[in-house]
Amino acid sequence: MKKLISLILMFAMYSGFAQRGKAKMLPVLEKGYYINTRNDTVWGKVQTNPEDPTDLYKQFGFKNNRSKKPKMLNAQRAKAYGVGDKDYVSVELNGKKIFLQRLVTGRLNFYQYEYNGKIEGYAAIESDFYIKDTGADPSEADLKELKKISGLFYKRGLKPYFKDQPMIWSDLDKYNFDEVSVIAAVKEFNKFYSKTGN
């Protein structure tokens, strides 16, 4: 009987300890960097497995050699950060500072933002894409501003950015937005300007 009571008590204690807090994953850290508000590049390790994958667009965990665990940095405290082959830059959208993933850099910059949403009624991660022309003519200053590319009629939204190279724009599918095709088109466009120094 004592053994049975001891067994029940041990089980109850084990259950109580096991359910006390929500289990958290250990942070997975990879070599990376961030650029602070004084434009200093700080090298260390960036956490690549937040509980919510869309958190990488709001904040990131960073650990240097002196710290024991990652500290969280947001878009007010870091101008940019990078880990692996991904780079994120701080921007202000709708009065809020966030990070966008930089997909292509050059005369045309192309970015992605991921957030929690719904696709066909199911919880899913959705993406928005943004573009800007860093070398736009002063008469077209609005092209130098970050602009969201609509999934519907996306080709019409991209036309002013590709007006100097219309053949690249005309090769894009008219109806279906394809991230890989748009990235390839932006890279192709930028090749013309990396050679001439614009």
Side-chain angles (χ1 to χ4, degrees):
M1 186 67 155
K2 286 183 181 181
K3 287 184 181 179
L4 181 60
I5 293 173
S6 297
L7 187 62
I8 291 172
L9 281 173
M10 284 182 14
F11 179 76
M13 286 178 27
Y14 177 76
S15 298
F17 287 125
Q19 295 178 7
R20 191 168 268 176
K22 185 179 176 186
K24 286 191 171 187
M25 277 193 292
L26 287 175
V28 174
L29 301 167
E30 291 184 27
K31 287 183 182 177
Y33 71 92
Y34 80 94
I35 299 173
N36 65 22
T37 55
R38 295 183 308 255
N39 285 327
D40 297 325
T41 302
V42 182
W43 294 94
K45 294 188 176 189
V46 175
Q47 183 177 350
T48 59
N49 68 331
E51 285 186 40
D52 177 357
T54 64
D55 279 349
L56 293 171
Y57 296 87
K58 300 172 200 134
Q59 62 183 358
F60 62 97
F62 185 82
K63 180 181 177 298
N64 61 22
N65 295 335
R66 294 172 290 186
S67 57
K68 291 185 180 181
K69 64 181 189 175
K71 67 177 177 178
M72 299 309 290
L73 298 170
N74 60 25
Q76 281 84 22
R77 296 181 59 201
K79 289 185 171 187
Y81 76 97
V83 59
D85 61 349
K86 295 181 179 180
D87 292 304
Y88 299 83
V89 295
S90 172
V91 298
E92 188 167 326
L93 280 177
N94 304 323
K96 192 175 180 183
K97 281 212 146 208
I98 60 167
F99 290 107
L100 296 180
Q101 182 183 351
R102 186 173 39 215
L103 301 174
V104 182
T105 303
R107 177 174 165 182
L108 293 182
N109 290 337
F110 192 58
Y111 306 93
Q112 178 179 14
Y113 177 70
E114 291 183 348
Y115 57 96
N116 292 313
K118 289 191 175 188
I119 298 176
E120 297 179 8
Y122 296 100
I125 295 177
E126 293 190 68
S127 294
D128 286 339
F129 295 90
Y130 296 85
I131 193 166
K132 86 175 176 181
D133 186 347
T134 61
D137 197 68
S139 64
E140 300 172 314
D142 59 318
L143 296 179
K144 288 187 175 192
E145 300 296 321
L146 201 59
K147 180 183 177 195
K148 182 178 174 182
I149 300 300
S150 170
L152 192 60
F153 307 117
Y154 82 96
K155 194 170 177 182
R156 185 181 338 158
L158 288 175
K159 188 173 184 176
Y161 296 91
F162 286 89
K163 73 174 179 49
D164 294 340
Q165 303 297 330
M167 290 303 294
I168 297 171
W169 175 81
S170 66
D171 288 342
L172 291 170
D173 186 286
K174 184 176 182 177
Y175 301 104
N176 298 313
F177 176 84
D178 176 33
E179 173 187 348
V180 174
S181 297
V182 174
I183 288 172
V186 171
K187 285 181 178 179
E188 185 68 28
F189 180 91
N190 286 342
K191 282 182 188 176
F192 287 99
Y193 298 94
S194 63
K195 294 175 187 172
T196 61
N198 288 340

